[in-house]
Amino acid sequence: MTHRRLPRTTGLAAALLVAVGSLASCSGGDDVDSGSSTTTAAAEETTTTVAPPVAPLTGLPVVDGEAPARPALVVKIDNVEPKARPQAGLNSADIVFEERVEGSVTRLLAIFHSTDVAPVGPVRSARTSGLGVIAALRTPYFAWSGANASFAQRVRAASLTDVGYDRATSHYRRAKDRPAPGNLMLLDSAALRRLPAADGAAVPPPFFTYRPAGQAPAHLEPVGVVTVSYGTSAGAAPVTYAWNGSGWARTQKGTPHVDAAGVQVAPPNVIVQFTRYVSSGVNDQFGVPIPEAELVGSGDAWLLTAGGLVVGRWSKPSASEVTSYTDVDGNPIGLTPGRTWVALPAPGGATR
């Protein structure tokens, strides 16, 4: 798997020249030369430091160039145990959302912007829960492998650039060392981004608030491990996040969650956003309603950052707006600059 870091820009310094003049007045006094005047100019140099640009989805500074002026790429990634693992590219995503699909099974919605990677996957079919995330990203690219007719119609009607398997088939391949259907891999995110973007595509807005270096979050509580569950059916894959000194090491169904390169998932931030699930209006093959996360509204949230937990609230007034996270005082909760995973369990679906 190869990674491509985008160019970054260092801080700029500008010199401002200020002219200061002094004028000697004329006087008829004995100790002042009559009719003479002297003007002196002093140049004072002031240096102004401009903060370097930061990536909107990580809060990390970018160097050696401009911040990436391009849309985000969202990839729907399989997470069925154990066939989908290890996934490729997860540790290069700026943000990853984990949502419940049929039963207790989850899938991942990985958002790439500051970094490109090859390959990514396995890519799976779309669900409607992800549309609430996509709507706030300003017409991103969306890589998916299809969906039932109802879901596919809703995806294609959304504000996004469709670069799924049906529209960009040459950018995908079936991995011979993985069982179907969890073997469809996106070959290269950079190549996919070179396809024409839909009208309205733009740089994504910042998704989170970040703390200045050296500043601790308010109301930070000590916590070592948080467990997240999406149900109790046979397909359930409970997740734990344990602080390892620099990130929240993820374990899924009792084993370390590693990517295809063998590196364990351990983002510096994890948000547990307690979310109601309702019927999507479509049933699965057994006649059971397929759930859909209610991402518009508000609810409780746990924010894991800086080795501890901040209890707060999440709020999203409309699908196109970014979710805000506030503490008990109503102030934004600052994350550590870097990658973030967002878990979307139902209320009561996590313990600490």
Side-chain angles (χ1 to χ4, degrees):
M1 178 172 64
T2 60
H3 303 263
R4 299 181 180 82
R5 274 284 168 197
L6 293 181
R8 304 184 176 181
T9 298
T10 56
L12 301 176
L16 177 64
L17 185 64
V18 180
V20 180
S22 64
L23 178 65
S25 61
C26 295
S27 170
D30 292 340
D31 54 356
V32 178
D33 291 338
S34 177
S36 67
S37 65
T38 305
T39 302
T40 59
E44 181 179 306
E45 187 176 277
T46 302
T47 301
T48 302
T49 301
V50 179
V54 298
L57 302 185
T58 65
L60 293 172
V62 294
V63 297
D64 302 330
E66 296 296 331
R70 62 182 188 182
L73 167 64
V74 182
V75 185
K76 194 62 178 282
I77 297 180
D78 199 359
N79 196 38
V80 174
E81 287 281 350
K83 297 179 180 180
R85 292 171 59 190
Q87 296 100 336
L90 275 185
N91 281 323
S92 295
D94 292 351
I95 305 172
V96 177
F97 283 79
E98 183 173 17
E99 63 187 21
R100 181 166 70 93
V101 288
E102 291 85 350
S104 302
V105 174
T106 66
R107 284 193 186 159
L108 307 175
L109 201 70
I111 305 172
F112 300 85
H113 184 253
S114 64
T115 303
D116 276 310
V117 64
V120 184
V123 180
R124 284 301 304 272
S125 58
R127 294 292 185 272
T128 52
S129 292
L131 296 180
V133 176
I134 288 171
L137 284 167
R138 297 178 181 169
T139 315
Y141 289 94
F142 183 40
W144 54 305
S145 66
N148 66 51
S150 177
F151 289 165
Q153 182 179 16
R154 292 173 63 179
V155 168
R156 293 183 176 121
S159 294
L160 53 81
T161 300
D162 183 0
V163 287
Y165 178 72
D166 291 342
R167 295 287 179 88
T169 306
S170 64
H171 290 266
Y172 297 81
R173 67 167 172 82
R174 294 282 178 183
K176 296 179 180 179
D177 59 345
R178 294 174 180 263
N183 63 346
L184 183 65
M185 308 299 288
L186 171 61
L187 294 175
D188 188 338
S189 66
L192 199 66
R193 289 183 198 271
R194 288 193 284 270
L195 296 176
D199 291 342
V203 176
F207 257 44
F208 309 114
T209 300
Y210 297 99
R211 305 185 313 277
Q215 183 182 94
H219 307 291
L220 187 68
E221 302 176 15
V223 65
V225 177
V226 168
T227 300
V228 182
S229 176
Y230 295 86
T232 59
S233 71
V239 171
T240 62
Y241 290 98
W243 181 247
N244 66 6
S246 61
W248 296 93
R250 178 181 163 101
T251 299
Q252 182 169 303
K253 209 170 185 178
T255 60
H257 190 169
V258 300
D259 65 7
V263 178
Q264 187 171 9
V265 174
N269 308 295
V270 175
I271 298 174
V272 182
Q273 181 175 323
F274 296 101
T275 307
R276 288 184 65 238
Y277 283 83
V278 297
S279 172
S280 63
V282 177
N283 295 343
D284 64 17
Q285 59 183 337
F286 305 108
V288 178
I290 297 174
E292 177 178 297
E294 279 196 326
L295 297 181
V296 174
S298 61
D300 294 327
W302 294 352
L303 280 77
L304 307 179
T305 189
L309 181 151
V310 180
V311 175
R313 296 278 294 173
W314 66 269
S315 177
K316 184 178 172 69
S318 69
S320 61
E321 294 182 75
V322 172
T323 303
S324 63
Y325 301 92
T326 53
D327 61 21
V328 292
D329 298 323
N331 297 319
I333 300 173
L335 300 181
T336 303
R339 294 180 296 113
T340 301
W341 277 55
V342 183
L344 299 175
T351 58
R352 53 179 170 134

